[in-house]
Each structure stands twice: as structure tokens, then as C-alpha cells.
Amino acid sequence: AQSVTQPDIHITVSEGASLELRCNYSYGATPYLFWYVQSPGQGLQLLLKYFSGDTLVQGIKGFEAEFKRSQSSFNLRKPSVHWSDAAEYFCAVVGSGGGADGLTFGKGTHLIIQP
Amino acid sequence: DARVTQTPRDKVTEMGQEVTMRCQPILGHNTVFWYRQTMMQGLELLAYFRNRAPLDDSGMPKDRFSAEMPDATLATLKIQPSEPRDSAVYFCASSPTGGQPQHFGDGTRLSIL
């Protein structure tokens, strides 16, 4: 069975500092990987996705993520965070062969931005 | 921007009552998913449909939950009878042909007293 681990429950970063959120997945074949962001009381917004090809993917709001097959990781990064980035971030995986299968999510990382 | 629409946004009801949550997927999307979010379990897949046919509902308690797609523009999730442990945020998501990525609605926040 596939699984996703986000080892950091909370992360606090100063505004303007760089950010890296960790995500490790377990899946027997080639996965599709996603990062979603959830603001309080809102649904999940897709930040970026990896299907194949270039292992460094660019997303919205200045985020990027790098797929490292050897480490089973898909870490999310941003060079300079803004106060509006404070939210819950979820990493998710689905099997590439499944196409329209449901996502398996990590438990999320709560990002706090210090002024 | 096209959006997944869920109604109601909030629902508070007493234990034993029937609850119906509705979802309008993005026009043209042929796959619809239902997820549940709780503090303890996080985001869990309950069920999903493709072209209105149920593909997998193994994540759903069968005795009290049911999911249907009466037509391509409406998906419903029903709980009967409801219990306090059903309190959660229920999300609907839809995706285009090919399956990914999924686009989420704003959820229904359900409280069972």
C-alpha cells in the first residue's frame, strides 16, 4: 500500500526566509506526486504536480519541488516566504498506472510565518 | 475559474438524523472523489466515481454511508443515521479524463451533536 510521510507537523519561518517542507513517499512503482495548500476554512489548492520528465517542477505562488527517486522524496521549496504563505501543506501520491485513483495524503505540515 | 461547488458549507444536526451533502463537479470532469478530513485521521478517501459509475467505495462505512451520482453535474454523499463520530469536513474533488490532477471544493463542515 502506498503511504506519505511529512515528518514536520509544524514549521516556523521568518518572513523573507527560505522554506523547505519535507515529503517522503512509499510506492512500489512510479508515482504521481502533488503538493496542495489549505488555508483555514478553505479547500485544497493545487500548488504543483510531478508526473514525469524534469524532476524539478515549478508551481504557483513561487513554489517548486524536486522529485528524488533514490530518496523517495518530493520536498517543497520557496526561496522567500510571505506572510500569506501561512497555511497547511499536504503532500499526496497516486500510482501513475491508476490514472484516476484516489490520492493518499500525508498528515500535513502547518506553516507559521513570523514577522 | 471553474470550481467544484459543495453545499452546504456548514451543517449541524443531531445524532440519528439523515445528512445529505452535494457536490457539483467542474463541467467536463468525469471523475468525482469524496474525502473526509479529521484531526485524528487526516484526509481519507471515501469513494470515487468515473463517468457516474462507482469505482471504489472501500473507504466508506457501508452500513450508514451512501454515495451516488444522479447525473454528471451532481454527486451526493448521504449519512443515515448520523453519529457524532461522523463529525468532520467532507471534501469533493473532480478530475478530467486521464485522472489527475484533482480539483477540490471548499468542503462541508459537518457537526453531529
Side-chain angles (χ1 to χ4, degrees):
Chain A
Q2 57 207 34
S3 65
V4 177
T5 301
Q6 293 180 246
D8 304 304
I9 298 174
H10 300 278
I11 280 190
T12 301
V13 178
S14 297
E15 189 169 16
S18 63
L19 170 71
E20 182 169 31
L21 302 183
R22 296 183 291 166
C23 171
N24 292 97
Y25 68 90
S26 174
Y27 188 71
T30 303
Y32 289 168
L33 294 157
F34 307 84
W35 276 99
Y36 284 85
V37 62
Q38 183 181 30
S39 297
Q42 302 298 312
L44 282 77
Q45 181 182 22
L46 179 69
L47 284 176
L48 46 76
K49 61 186 182 293
Y50 172 78
F51 288 170
S52 65
D54 193 345
T55 56
L56 184 63
V57 294
Q58 302 297 318
I60 62 171
K61 304 185 180 187
F63 286 93
E64 67 178 25
E66 185 171 13
F67 171 57
K68 292 186 178 180
R69 185 187 303 276
S70 62
Q71 299 178 19
S72 297
S73 69
F74 189 57
N75 294 348
L76 181 71
R77 300 194 294 249
K78 186 171 184 177
S80 176
V81 298
H82 185 262
W83 64 267
S84 60
D85 293 325
E88 192 83 16
Y89 290 79
F90 294 94
C91 182
V93 66
V94 68
S96 59
D101 287 341
L103 297 172
T104 298
F105 285 91
K107 295 294 189 187
T109 297
H110 184 59
L111 177 62
I112 301 165
I113 306 296
Q114 281 184 337
Chain B
D1 281 342
R3 295 173 59 86
V4 174
T5 302
Q6 291 187 247
T7 56
R9 284 299 309 273
D10 295 278
K11 177 73 175 180
V12 180
T13 192
E14 292 186 345
M15 181 174 63
Q17 297 298 305
E18 178 178 297
V19 175
T20 299
M21 291 169 274
R22 295 177 174 81
C23 168
Q24 180 177 3
I26 292 173
L27 188 64
H29 283 191
N30 71 338
T31 309
V32 176
F33 304 81
W34 285 104
Y35 293 88
R36 177 171 61 184
Q37 184 179 35
T38 61
M39 290 293 292
M40 292 299 295
Q41 299 299 324
L43 281 153
E44 304 172 284
L45 176 69
L46 295 176
Y48 64 101
F49 295 76
R50 183 183 299 158
N51 296 323
R52 297 175 54 202
L55 284 190
D56 187 352
D57 62 1
S58 59
M60 207 164 63
K62 301 293 192 306
D63 55 339
R64 297 182 300 106
F65 284 59
S66 62
E68 296 179 345
M69 279 201 74
D71 61 61
T73 65
L74 176 64
T76 62
L77 180 65
K78 292 185 180 181
I79 308 174
Q80 171 61 23
S82 57
E83 297 181 2
R85 59 180 168 152
D86 301 329
S87 298
V89 182
Y90 290 82
F91 287 105
C92 175
S94 71
S95 65
T97 303
Q100 305 294 343
Q102 297 176 25
H103 299 262
F104 284 75
D106 286 337
T108 293
R109 185 178 301 274
L110 177 63
S111 297
I112 308 297
L113 306 178

